[in-house]
Amino acid sequence: MAHIVVLGAGIGGMPMAYEMQEKIRKGDRVTVISNSESFHFVPSNPWVAVNWRVRDDIAFPIRPYLERKGIDFISAGAKRVHPEKNQIELMNGETVNYDYLIIATGPKLAFDEVEGLGPNGHTHSICHVDHAVSAAKSWETFCKQPGSIVVGAVQGASCYGPAYEFAFIMDTDLRRRKIRDKVPMTFVTAEPYIGHLGLGGVGDSKGLLESALRERSINWICNAKVTKVDADKMYVTEVDEKGEVKKEHVLPHNFAMMLPAFKGVDAVFGIEGLANPRGFTIVDEHQRNPKYKNIYSVGVCIAIPPMGGTPVAVGVPKTGYMIESMVTATAHNIHSELTGNPPTDKATWNAVCLADFGDTGVAFVALPQIPPRNVDWFSSGKWVHLAKIAFEKYFIRKMKTGKSEPIYEKLILKAMGIDKLK
Ligand code: FAD
Ligand code: DCQ
């Protein structure tokens, strides 16, 4: 009988565990290993950082919910994966053996690649709820003595949506506090143009996001490389299409939030054939590692090549719906293997996303993720803000009840022509 281990319990790992548990044979076991006792709904971190949410609104203890479904849970982080031995070495010194391993560890945040970047330096982060909680404290102090804001994503980042979201959310919060007039804001991004998003744009994302920044008096710098951050200044090199220096900027900041570049986690970093040079897990079209065929991987931790062709390095984002499609394909494929068949399912890589702007928001559907596309739709409105709040409640509830994809969700998305599997 097989032991299937899911490493990581985030947006990918939790649904993975539930979907896998539904697809195992009698006697097979599913175990989740995570370095934290609690689940966090990462997309709500920007709201935590401006005190629209508190930590407990978006986090809950994992153990009781998994155990109720018969899934084992170990809350000790993985120190090292040993694929030759089918073994995981834990931080607490114990080891866990597996027959199948699904790596869903999300990103390691590469703050160290820019001097002064990150919560241990001089910029805030919304990538982890702990960072968002700490940003929220500084936000209150900042609002008492407002000054300049710099917000965006650094060179090599692969997650741009939350940078725009956070810029607009801060703007909304400042207007509500009636101190927006005291806060010059600059959006700094590695993208070649506003609205590229690592996807070559979606629909008219360039036009819509430029308008939104203009309407809210947020200046921007594209093709930007952040070279250094001091306590009150950010040093930014803006390059032209050829990658040659166009302008050096020194931006004063009293509050800054920059998305870092991502890497893979230390537990797999440097394992030849399993991880690429940045530590992302290498997978084929079935989410399976080509060298270690009993290892699958889903979520932000998988390797996908950047689109390329941009003057500054810009990574391709991995959004929630895409991740869920990887999860479903993986559950189906491991089920196939358990029943003596080869894996055949492929994730669709469709991007469906809701981004909140505080009072309004934007939604997009990109099928497939990389252009040219069959569906390329980008829209904005107050409905998106409300839809995102509804989605947060819905997803957290779904992660507690353990129903990975209720039938009505499947039907709605299917009616829209959006599918998880090819
Ligand atoms: P995570 O959710 O980060 O989960 C990784 C898990 O692995 C965590 O539980 C972690 O504790 C665990 N872990 C890490 N290392 C170890 C280890 N060594 N041992 C054991 N466990 C470990 N996408 C959207 O579609 N819509 C959005 O609105 C959206 N908003 C976002 C906002 C922000 C601020 C960010 C950063 C991303 C957002 N994304 C959004 C993109 C994406 O959906 C999220 O990044 C999502 O959390 C990725 O899921 P994941 O499972 O890959 O990683
Ligand atoms: O998993 C998701 C996720 O969390 C990571 C999000 O962040 C909030 C998402 O936005 C998924 C799946 C989404 C997409 C939600 C789409 C809801 C369907 C509404 C239809 C609107 C058309 C755009």
Side-chain angles (χ1 to χ4, degrees):
M1 286 290 114
H3 184 210
I4 302 154
V5 172
V6 179
L7 191 58
I11 299 291
M14 284 290 279
M16 188 69 243
Y18 290 127
E19 282 199 36
M20 200 65 249
Q21 180 74 359
E22 284 174 15
K23 294 245 166 250
I24 54 175
R25 301 159 304 176
K26 209 169 174 344
D28 293 330
R29 268 190 315 135
V30 177
T31 301
V32 173
I33 299 177
S34 182
N35 56 4
S36 162
E37 274 286 345
S38 50
F39 169 85
H40 312 118
F41 186 67
V42 172
S44 292
N45 287 346
W47 290 337
V48 173
V50 293
N51 292 301
W52 292 0
R53 291 283 184 282
V54 294
R55 185 197 192 93
D56 283 352
D57 297 333
I58 66 154
F60 63 83
I62 295 166
R63 187 178 299 280
Y65 299 102
L66 288 183
E67 287 183 350
R68 205 168 63 200
K69 287 275 168 181
I71 300 166
D72 291 333
F73 180 60
I74 299 172
S75 63
K79 188 168 176 207
R80 196 69 178 163
V81 174
H82 297 286
E84 306 287 356
K85 293 195 277 184
N86 294 328
Q87 212 169 54
I88 301 162
E89 180 188 347
L90 301 179
M91 294 291 188
N92 64 10
E94 290 171 14
T95 56
V96 175
N97 295 308
Y98 60 81
D99 298 296
Y100 291 93
L101 172 63
I102 305 163
I103 299 174
T105 42
K108 176 175 176 179
L109 308 169
F111 295 119
D112 59 326
E113 291 173 352
V114 179
E115 191 185 333
L117 191 71
N120 294 328
H122 308 292
T123 60
H124 291 287
S125 161
I126 49 169
C127 289
H128 194 282
V129 68
D130 293 345
H131 300 158
V133 167
S134 128
K137 284 202 196 94
S138 302
W139 181 247
E140 290 307 317
T141 315
F142 170 80
C143 288
K144 286 193 188 98
Q145 213 168 9
S148 303
I149 288 180
V150 179
V151 52
V154 309
Q155 56 275 22
S158 53
C159 188
Y160 294 89
Y164 289 97
E165 281 190 305
F166 195 53
F168 294 127
I169 288 169
M170 286 190 290
D171 167 82
T172 304
D173 198 56
L174 292 168
R175 277 186 288 122
R176 285 185 190 155
R177 292 176 192 247
K178 306 210 172 3
I179 50 172
R180 179 64 183 90
D181 60 318
K182 300 191 167 54
V183 183
M185 286 178 80
T186 310
F187 189 82
V188 172
T189 177
E191 297 161 283
Y193 53 84
I194 291 300
H196 180 282
L197 302 170
L199 295 168
V202 188
D204 189 30
S205 54
K206 179 175 189 284
L208 274 162
L209 288 172
E210 279 186 355
S211 289
L213 289 173
R214 265 192 296 268
E215 276 165 18
R216 293 167 186 246
S217 313
I218 303 172
N219 296 321
W220 66 80
I221 302 171
C222 294
N223 288 318
K225 284 186 205 169
V226 179
T227 51
K228 188 173 133 185
V229 191
D230 283 346
D232 58 357
K233 288 187 196 70
M234 191 180 299
Y235 299 84
V236 174
T237 304
E238 181 184 1
V239 302
D240 63 16
E241 311 80 79
K242 296 198 193 88
E244 279 154 24
V245 176
K246 188 167 156 192
K247 195 170 171 190
E248 300 283 359
H249 301 260
V250 181
L251 305 171
H253 66 86
N254 303 85
F255 187 96
M257 194 297 295
M258 297 297 289
L259 267 292
F262 291 167
K263 288 205 275 200
V265 299
D266 295 342
V268 298
F269 201 93
I271 300 178
E272 184 66 37
L274 179 61
N276 79 1
R278 278 193 75 82
F280 291 111
T281 328
I282 301 163
V283 293
D284 64 14
E285 54 186 5
H286 303 299
Q287 304 302 130
R288 182 165 76 160
N289 181 256
K291 180 167 176 192
Y292 301 103
K293 293 191 187 297
N294 60 341
I295 301 185
Y296 285 76
S297 188
V298 302
V300 168
C301 61
I302 72 159
I304 38 179
M307 290 188 65
T310 53
V312 180
V314 169
V316 176
K318 293 147 203 164
T319 48
Y321 188 75
M322 230 185 124
I323 296 172
E324 306 315 321
S325 86
M326 299 179 203
V327 165
T328 302
T330 300
H332 283 229
N333 288 335
I334 294 182
H335 172 80
S336 293
E337 291 208 62
L338 290 174
T339 50
N341 300 302
T344 51
D345 277 331
K346 301 175 194 170
T348 44
W349 301 87
N350 288 337
V352 185
C353 205
L354 304 172
D356 178 54
F357 288 2
D359 43 6
T360 118
V362 296
F364 67 80
V365 180
L367 320 179
Q369 163 136 311
I370 304 297
R373 304 188 176 106
N374 296 316
V375 182
D376 197 329
W377 179 81
F378 193 93
S379 180
S380 64
K382 282 201 191 313
W383 71 271
V384 185
H385 174 65
L386 300 171
K388 184 132 188 182
I389 295 173
F391 187 80
E392 171 199 55
K393 311 276 180 251
Y394 166 73
F395 195 92
I396 291 174
R397 201 168 148 267
K398 197 166 82 162
M399 289 306 105
K400 289 182 173 176
T401 55
K403 204 84 205 85
S404 61
E405 191 190 42
I407 191 71
Y408 50 87
E409 180 183 347
K410 203 173 203 147
L411 290 175
I412 293 172
L413 290 170
K414 217 167 185 104
M416 295 173 67
I418 303 167
D419 235 322
K420 281 189 190 166
L421 296 178
K422 277 189 201 156

